Amino acid sequence: MSDGRSLSGLKVVELGHLIAGPVCGRMFADHGADVIKVEPPSGDPMRHWGRLHNGVGLHWSYVARGKSSVVINLSTSEGQEQLKRLLADADVVIENFRPGTLEKWGLGWDVLHELNPALILVRISGFGQTGPYAHRPGFGLIGEAMSGFRYMTAEPGRPPVRVGISIADTMAGIYGFVGAQLALRVRERTGAGQMVDVALYEAMWSLMESIAAEYELMGVVREPQGAILPGIAPSNVYQASDGVWLAIGANQDAVFERFARAIGREEWLEPDSYATHDERALRQSELDEEVAVWARSLDSEKALSLLDEARVPASRIYNAADIHSDEHYRARDMILHVADPSLDGEKVPMPGIVPKLSTTPGAVERGAPKLGEHNHLLD
């Protein structure tokens, strides 16, 4: 691995499968760590999940980039000894099995900590390693449901919907990466590793803003509101005359003034109209209807040009085609084309590296590995 990346020199062993654990491992790989993915003989199910391109899951190509692959059957005593040898000099190990699985294999925290006192163990599960629900199976859907997140993803009076991506698994993987960085920082001072415990429902609960305070202090249960930001207006999606949906955020007073002048509605700035935040909040539905009428009077290109000139935050609602044609994505290298060994070197487009560091930027040096491609590392 390149010496110019932030985590060069770290050895990370990824036992996780599907999404949460591999997301955590991908972030290590992006920033220079040597990530060794341990797979069962059947391989990670992500290899064949989702949309397949010539038999390879395209999500796998993204989540496994930059990693090595070794095959170990952890349910056997031979496999358990192989893993112990692999972990003897490792810095971080990542797992997202149901709590108790590592212990069943004789690979619990006590064993691993004695084997390698400097080792950091990142454990990602549905409900965490402790508590009355720890033993329950928990997928991302359940984490979204229990956190209150899925309750909010609906139009009023309609059933809750999925946001379209595996957000709970991804957020848990990101928190696992953050937790590992904190533990590595502590290890610099103490020399000792520790366990990082991430629960899917807690990763999502951490996103839920002030709903706890609203309930406990005010007796308010926040209800789903669809596309609006309650009490903040205008901040919504509006359809232009060509059918394109536009997101417009003109809710701050100075921005709203520029917006009103740009669309020729200076009367909105008069007293007892929409001039202040509080006035707009009281008449949010009414204002949204008027903005929607204006949006329908122009095609999306004209509307966005006008708003850009007035410095009003706005964008069309992008789909994949929009993203691939956008100059800003290209300028910031946010679509990478990575050669995938499982696809005979065909380049697979995927999201770029986040965050961007000025002197030790991340890089993707190779694509997702073939199953067992690096078994020589077990010798």
Side-chain angles (χ1 to χ4, degrees):
M1 290 294 183
S2 168
D3 291 332
R5 290 190 283 164
S6 305
L7 302 180
S8 292
L10 282 182
K11 178 180 177 181
V12 177
V13 177
E14 179 191 301
L15 308 181
H17 59 294
L18 296 175
I19 302 175
V23 165
C24 182
R26 175 187 60 76
M27 296 186 72
F28 274 100
D30 283 352
H31 291 282
D34 180 12
V35 180
I36 302 170
K37 181 172 181 60
V38 175
E39 300 187 68
S42 59
D44 190 317
M46 282 299 293
R47 288 181 175 272
H48 306 291
W49 275 34
R51 295 189 184 276
L52 303 184
H53 177 67
N54 293 334
V56 176
L58 293 177
H59 194 170
W60 162 260
S61 296
Y62 173 39
V63 81
R65 69 189 187 190
K67 302 175 185 178
S68 304
S69 169
V70 300
V71 172
I72 300 179
N73 187 345
L74 291 175
S75 66
T76 67
S77 57
E78 179 186 2
Q80 292 153 17
E81 290 304 313
Q82 285 180 307
L83 180 64
K84 287 179 181 179
R85 291 195 295 271
L86 202 59
L87 295 180
D89 63 346
D91 296 288
V92 179
V93 58
I94 304 163
E95 65 98 355
N96 63 322
F97 303 117
R98 191 188 306 186
T101 301
L102 284 186
E103 286 74 10
K104 178 183 67 176
W105 291 334
L107 297 167
W109 169 241
D110 291 345
V111 173
L112 297 184
H113 187 59
E114 182 177 0
L115 171 73
N116 179 353
L119 184 67
I120 292 160
L121 172 60
V122 177
R123 311 195 75 169
I124 305 174
S125 61
F127 302 97
Q129 302 297 312
T130 61
Y133 300 166
H135 66 284
R136 293 183 180 179
F139 291 137
L141 163 64
I142 309 307
E144 290 182 39
M146 187 174 165
S147 68
F149 179 86
R150 186 64 74 99
Y151 185 77
M152 300 301 299
T153 55
E155 293 286 344
R158 301 291 298 277
V161 298
R162 184 173 182 265
V163 297
I165 57 170
S166 301
I167 189 168
D169 292 284
T170 299
M171 287 304 307
I174 292 171
Y175 272 119
F177 179 74
V178 171
Q181 304 314 307
L182 298 175
L184 286 165
R185 181 71 181 90
V186 172
R187 194 181 71 175
E188 291 177 4
R189 300 196 301 267
T190 68
Q194 60 181 298
M195 184 171 66
V196 178
D197 181 1
V198 180
L200 268 68
Y201 87 95
E202 291 169 355
M204 295 308 298
W205 171 238
S206 73
L207 305 181
M208 296 307 292
E209 301 179 346
S210 61
I211 70 168
E214 291 167 12
Y215 174 70
E216 190 168 329
L217 301 181
M218 302 175 66
V220 173
V221 174
R222 192 187 296 190
E223 298 293 337
Q225 298 290 333
I228 71 167
L229 188 56
I232 310 295
S235 179
N236 206 339
V237 294
Y238 310 90
Q239 195 169 33
S241 64
D242 54 2
V244 173
W245 286 95
L246 307 177
I248 301 174
N251 44 282
Q252 196 267 345
D253 283 354
V255 177
F256 182 75
E257 180 177 353
R258 296 199 299 271
F259 174 64
R261 295 188 187 284
I263 69 172
R265 299 301 301 268
E266 288 85 353
E267 70 272 19
W268 288 356
L269 305 176
E270 298 295 326
D272 300 321
S273 185
Y274 303 128
T276 68
H277 170 81
D278 290 343
E279 289 171 326
R280 294 192 297 277
L282 289 172
R283 302 167 65 186
Q284 183 167 15
S285 296
E286 175 186 312
L287 176 57
D288 265 337
E289 289 175 6
E290 296 209 49
V291 175
V293 169
W294 168 80
R296 288 194 297 270
S297 72
L298 298 174
D299 66 39
S300 56
E301 185 175 344
K302 289 181 180 178
L304 289 172
S305 177
L306 184 152
L307 295 176
D308 183 53
E309 186 176 348
R311 295 178 292 117
V312 174
S315 172
R316 65 186 293 143
I317 303 294
Y318 278 29
N319 60 23
D322 298 320
I323 289 168
H324 276 73
S325 64
D326 188 274
E327 63 180 358
H328 194 75
Y329 272 84
R330 290 195 300 272
R332 289 181 58 82
D333 294 324
M334 286 313 298
I335 302 177
L336 302 180
H337 292 78
V338 180
D340 192 316
S342 298
L343 291 168
D344 296 323
E346 181 178 355
K347 290 188 175 181
V348 177
M350 60 187 68
I353 296 172
V354 180
K356 297 185 181 302
L357 281 71
S358 60
T359 58
T360 57
V364 179
E365 295 193 345
R366 61 173 182 259
K370 295 180 179 180
L371 180 62
E373 183 179 345
H374 304 92
N375 272 9
H376 62 274
L377 297 173
L378 300 175
D379 296 338

